[in-house]
Amino acid sequence: MKLNQIITSLLETDMYKFSMGEAIYHQFSDYKTTWTFKCRNTDVHFTAEMVQEIKEQIKAYCSLRFTEQELDYLNRITWIKGSYIDFLRLWQPRYEDFKISDEAECGLSIETFGTWLNTSLYEIPTLAIVNEVYFRMAYDYDRLYASFRERLEQKIKDASGRYEIGSFSEFGLRRRLSAEAQELAVRKLKEAEFRGSEFVGTSNVYLAKKYNLTPVGTMAHEWIMCVGQGNHKHNPAYSNWYALDAWVREYGVLNGIALTDAITTDCFLRDFQLTYATLFSGVRHDSGDPVEWGEKMIAHYQKLGIDPANKTLLFSDSLDFARAHELYEHFRNRTKVAFGIGTYISNDTEVPALNIVMKTTLCNGMDVAKISDTPGKGMCKNPDYVHYLKRCIDWRMNHDR
């Protein structure tokens, strides 16, 4: 490796990977998935030297094991069960599950294959490695880091005086400039004194442990996609029902923020009826117009006879402090409002951040897809399956009342 090791702990992933991981372990341990990397930036190219460094960094990541201290930390989280901790004690990443090459338009192709238990845990460290390798090798990193520090100081000053956003967390691991940049941001945010705002946590479990913050995260789109579409007996238009049902079987009333936009929020609301709306403490926004979405969720709770003031709307889509302030002012007197803010905190420099993702593209040999509330945020290798999924959703929305 030409760079220092980027991922140095298996805790260095987003919290929702462990939340989903436990439920996968107990209910879907035989599921197999394929994950595919995609760079959405049309002007970005990974050199052969970068690809080789990414390979070496992922090999180093695959040499890691959980320490007993790390497992003890996870075991203290209310909803994590001892049986899953025992699994993690034996778990190790497998480099053999990765296929990495330069055979892509952007110069980098990554796919992972294997059990969902394994491949789910690869996504976040892989993206963090790709980001840091790119920014350290494509630019003058010291200059980028200096601009990052300068902008971070201004953000904290603005958040301390100009903006009120209530509770917010840092969600930037997968697209961070570097490990040191994300850690600096988390440390500075914890030390800052805000007016009308409170920094409560981070999705990065390693940093949450290190700085005594709340590790934040419940479910991602992969949960709805694989649970709902990975069984050929399921009608994929009911993906949310299968996913919510499995989640409640695992956690009951704990760990309950539901993601709404895997196959559109309107379809989600067909399944988010009284039982689930009562059991889940709130919902997360990740695509579409956030004000329209929030109003829709409040109206849905009211229709069910549930007081929205007792529920949380968590916004996590491309936020900065100014936008979070607007949303907080709009909703603050009617419901609990929280924010997960990612790239704006962890990778704001003088050059644009990468727009890279790694998504589930196959589950049990079958295509899976996301149909979000924002066109273009989905990813599927088979356009015919996307067409089929849309037809299933349309039929349900028009016929299944």
Side-chain angles (χ1 to χ4, degrees):
M1 292 188 299
K2 294 190 174 183
L3 305 177
N4 292 331
Q5 185 168 341
I6 293 171
I7 301 296
T8 58
S9 166
L10 292 182
L11 283 187
E12 202 158 10
T13 190
D14 283 339
M15 182 63 214
Y16 64 22
K17 287 298 180 177
F18 295 121
S19 296
M20 292 184 294
E22 178 180 306
I24 294 168
Y25 174 67
H26 287 137
Q27 300 183 52
F28 305 101
S29 60
D30 60 334
Y31 274 33
K32 292 181 171 58
T33 55
T34 298
W35 292 67
T36 305
F37 168 85
K38 182 177 182 180
C39 179
R40 292 169 174 161
N41 305 76
T42 57
D43 58 345
V44 165
H45 182 76
F46 293 87
T47 65
E49 186 180 28
M50 292 177 189
V51 174
Q52 183 58 37
E53 181 66 20
I54 289 166
K55 289 180 179 179
E56 295 302 319
Q57 290 286 344
I58 290 177
K59 283 180 184 177
Y61 156 71
C62 289
S63 71
L64 297 172
R65 303 293 181 270
F66 283 103
T67 68
E68 286 302 315
Q69 185 184 47
E70 291 170 339
L71 293 172
D72 180 65
Y73 173 78
L74 289 175
N75 201 35
R76 294 198 301 269
I77 296 173
T78 307
W79 55 79
I80 293 186
K81 299 179 177 69
S83 56
Y84 183 55
I85 297 297
D86 283 342
F87 163 75
L88 293 178
R89 183 171 283 112
L90 301 173
W91 185 76
Q92 62 186 74
R94 285 170 34 89
Y95 187 70
E96 294 79 7
D97 292 342
F98 289 81
K99 181 180 179 183
I100 307 169
S101 74
D102 58 3
E103 297 175 2
E105 189 173 345
C106 69
L108 175 63
S109 171
I110 304 176
E111 285 198 313
T112 61
F113 311 86
T115 64
W116 191 15
L117 268 173
N118 279 1
T119 52
S120 176
L121 287 167
Y122 299 155
E123 176 198 0
I124 306 301
T126 298
L127 292 174
I129 286 169
V130 170
N131 263 293
E132 187 158 347
V133 167
Y134 178 78
F135 284 111
R136 285 188 181 275
M137 298 182 75
Y139 293 95
D140 179 342
Y141 172 78
D142 291 337
R143 179 174 171 176
L144 284 187
Y145 188 57
S147 72
F148 172 82
R149 294 198 310 269
E150 180 181 341
R151 293 178 183 216
L152 177 64
E153 292 295 336
Q154 185 60 49
K155 284 185 185 73
I156 292 175
K157 186 182 297 183
D158 289 343
S160 302
R162 293 173 57 190
Y163 302 127
E164 292 185 32
I165 62 174
S167 298
F168 73 99
S169 301
E170 185 275 331
F171 274 21
L173 172 53
R174 72 182 63 204
R175 292 177 183 165
R176 69 188 183 186
L177 172 65
S178 64
E180 68 173 336
Q182 187 186 21
E183 180 163 354
L184 176 69
V186 168
R187 179 168 59 81
K188 291 286 190 180
L189 286 168
K190 183 180 180 181
E191 294 170 352
E193 295 183 5
F194 297 108
R195 176 182 62 83
S197 304
E198 182 184 9
F199 178 60
V200 297
T202 172
S203 65
N204 184 330
V205 185
Y206 173 79
L207 292 179
K209 176 179 180 293
K210 184 171 183 177
Y211 290 99
N212 194 29
L213 294 163
T214 301
V216 182
T218 52
M219 67 176 70
H221 296 99
E222 68 176 275
W223 177 253
I224 297 100
M225 291 162 62
C226 292
V227 173
Q229 301 170 37
N231 184 331
H232 72 276
K233 296 178 181 179
H234 292 173
N235 180 335
Y238 294 81
S239 293
N240 288 300
W241 186 89
Y242 290 110
L244 294 171
D245 181 66
W247 198 266
V248 168
R249 286 202 307 271
E250 187 69 32
Y251 294 115
V253 298
L254 299 175
N255 202 19
I257 295 288
L259 182 59
T260 71
D261 70 332
I263 55 170
T264 75
T265 293
D266 287 339
C267 193
F268 168 85
L269 292 179
R270 291 295 177 91
D271 293 314
F272 198 61
Q273 294 303 316
L274 186 59
T275 298
Y276 296 132
T278 301
L279 290 173
F280 281 82
S281 59
V283 286
R284 177 161 74 94
H285 170 267
D286 198 52
S287 65
D289 182 272
V291 173
E292 181 182 326
W293 174 87
E295 294 292 350
K296 186 178 292 185
M297 293 310 308
I298 287 173
H300 185 72
Y301 280 126
Q302 290 173 334
K303 185 179 74 172
L304 296 174
I306 296 172
D307 185 354
N310 296 323
K311 297 297 181 179
T312 297
L313 303 187
L314 172 60
F315 296 89
S316 64
D317 183 31
S318 304
L319 294 172
D320 56 24
F321 287 150
R323 186 57 174 143
H325 173 76
E326 292 174 1
L327 292 169
Y328 183 65
E329 289 298 309
H330 184 88
F331 291 110
R332 63 184 297 182
N333 294 321
R334 293 185 289 159
T335 186
K336 298 175 185 177
V337 185
F339 301 95
I341 304 177
T343 309
Y344 175 72
I345 290 176
S346 70
N347 196 355
D348 183 15
T349 72
E350 63 186 26
V351 303
L354 291 181
N355 187 355
I356 58 174
V357 295
M358 197 161 177
K359 299 290 187 183
T360 322
T361 48
L362 291 173
C363 182
N364 297 329
M366 297 181 292
D367 295 293
V368 294
K370 178 179 76 167
I371 309 293
S372 78
D373 297 326
T374 298
K377 288 195 76 172
M379 180 174 166
C380 181
K381 289 184 174 181
N382 185 353
D384 289 338
Y385 178 75
V386 175
H387 180 62
Y388 164 72
L389 177 57
K390 287 181 176 179
R391 284 191 293 114
C392 290
I393 294 170
D394 288 343
W395 189 95
R396 182 179 182 194
M397 297 305 293
N398 290 321
H399 296 88
D400 181 12
R401 300 296 179 183

